[in-house]
Amino acid sequence: MLRGLRRRWAAYRYRFVPWLALNLRRQRRSLRYVPESSQDKIIPDEDVLETLLRAFAALFASDLGRQAPVLAARPEIGRKYGEPAPPEPRRCEEAARGPQEVLFQALGFGLDRRQSSLPAAGTGVFLSMGGARRGAVVAMYPGTVYRKHEPIFFQSLGNPFIFRCIDGVLIDGNDKGLSRAVYRSCSRRDQLGPFQMSDVSWLTAAPQNPLAVGQYVNNCSHEKAANVCYQEFDVPSCFPVELKQYLPNIVYSHDIQSPLRCVVLVTLRDIKQGEELFSNYYTVIN
């Protein structure tokens, strides 16, 4: 019973305001200070967009055979990425490249979810291949995006995966239960013919977008300093429609037209192969 209570407390404490206030001083070594909400940028939005477009375009081009409905609806997209070539026996190994290998070729690293190096921390995220330089986008925080007035009470019960943006927008990164059902429902609602407006594969053990594992990045500790931080990013209207299928976020409601909010994780230093990613759940806005 006590073990169960400890697990629940470990998952809930980062949403318990008195505990946060008492622990801010202890976390000063790795606290993240943001002078103003408008300055919550580690790298320019243009760099975030360029990274996402490069990764998503590589994923799309590596899987043209599965994109037949999209290519039929918009033939010019096929010309943009190159028409799918007929399979050749000698190229079976290359054709079988998975999303992780594609990500490695596009961005120079791969990611892996496995048991964290922190005791009792559950699942963690590691750089499984290559390395990432300081200022690189290495992950995305997936989930349903809720504005301040939208209902999230029942989804939040016992849910440690709710991320709060500086402006009060919430992202529910839980891939189970009611949260999972809500995300799937919203994704089906927004599909435009053959064009998917979001990625649902992050709800499975094999996401098509390997970056969509940010909800499993653990909080830093006294022994393990933060090596990544969160950065909010609004997807511009010019984002290619054929690549939206790799965006691991969806808005809960379309009552108010606004850009899709995403949260990416940006490296604070160079990270080598085999290292675990650690963020900081505390952000202080002056």
Side-chain angles (χ1 to χ4, degrees):
M1 180 179 176
L2 289 176
R3 186 175 299 176
L5 289 174
R6 287 196 193 97
R7 283 198 300 268
R8 288 179 177 273
W9 170 245
Y12 176 74
R13 60 188 178 184
Y14 296 106
R15 294 163 52 209
F16 185 57
V17 174
W19 187 88
L20 290 173
L22 289 172
N23 281 270
L24 282 175
R25 184 172 298 177
R26 300 179 187 176
Q27 296 284 338
R28 287 192 181 278
R29 184 171 68 92
S30 54
L31 269 176
R32 182 172 172 230
Y33 289 93
V34 177
E36 298 177 12
S37 60
S38 60
Q39 299 179 22
D40 181 37
K41 302 292 180 185
I42 302 300
I43 61 175
D45 281 346
E46 292 77 12
D47 291 356
V48 176
L49 178 61
E50 190 275 333
T51 298
L52 297 185
L53 289 177
R54 180 152 38 105
F56 293 180
L59 290 167
F60 187 90
S62 71
D63 195 23
L64 287 178
R66 194 175 61 87
Q67 307 294 338
V70 171
L71 300 179
R74 296 275 298 274
E76 68 274 17
I77 292 177
R79 294 190 290 271
K80 178 179 176 182
Y81 294 95
E83 298 293 344
E88 301 177 16
R90 63 186 179 185
R91 299 183 63 187
C92 285
E93 184 176 342
E94 180 180 348
R97 285 194 311 158
Q100 288 291 352
E101 289 75 17
V102 174
L103 181 69
F104 175 70
Q105 292 296 324
L107 301 183
F109 62 86
L111 299 172
D112 182 32
R113 285 183 291 178
R114 62 176 186 266
Q115 180 64 39
S116 174
S117 59
L118 291 177
T123 302
V125 178
F126 295 78
L127 238 69
S128 58
M129 295 185 289
R133 302 296 298 271
R134 179 181 178 182
V137 175
V138 289
M140 303 181 70
Y141 199 100
T144 306
V145 180
Y146 293 84
R147 300 179 188 89
K148 291 181 181 180
H149 64 281
E150 293 174 335
I152 194 176
F153 174 76
F154 289 108
Q155 297 92 309
S156 71
L157 296 176
N159 183 355
F161 295 108
I162 294 180
F163 182 94
R164 186 184 187 278
C165 297
I166 288 175
D167 59 0
V169 169
L170 301 174
I171 301 179
D172 182 4
N174 193 359
D175 57 11
K176 298 178 177 61
L178 180 59
S179 300
R180 176 191 182 94
V182 168
Y183 186 93
R184 283 188 176 277
S185 175
C186 292
S187 183
R188 287 193 296 268
R189 174 201 66 195
D190 288 358
Q191 184 167 346
L192 298 175
F195 294 97
Q196 294 181 352
M197 297 294 103
S198 63
D199 175 28
V200 296
S201 68
W202 70 269
L203 298 168
T204 71
Q208 290 301 305
N209 173 9
L211 294 173
V213 292
Q215 78 276 35
Y216 287 109
V217 173
N218 281 305
N219 189 40
C220 60
S221 67
H222 292 291
E223 295 76 25
K224 306 279 189 177
N227 53 19
V228 298
C229 69
Y230 303 101
Q231 178 167 320
E232 298 168 20
F233 172 72
D234 290 339
V235 179
S237 58
C238 63
F239 201 87
V241 66
E242 72 274 11
L243 300 184
K244 290 184 178 182
Q245 61 182 290
Y246 300 108
L247 289 170
N249 299 100
I250 195 79
V251 293
Y252 177 78
S253 172
H254 282 305
D255 292 343
I256 302 175
Q257 293 297 322
S258 61
L260 175 66
R261 172 65 51 82
C262 290
V263 172
V264 299
L265 283 83
V266 180
T267 56
L268 296 172
R269 60 169 176 81
D270 292 355
I271 302 178
K272 300 177 182 179
Q273 180 176 336
E275 286 193 73
E276 183 174 0
L277 303 184
F278 293 104
S279 62
N280 197 308
Y281 292 172
Y282 301 95
T283 298
V284 177
I285 310 297
N286 292 338

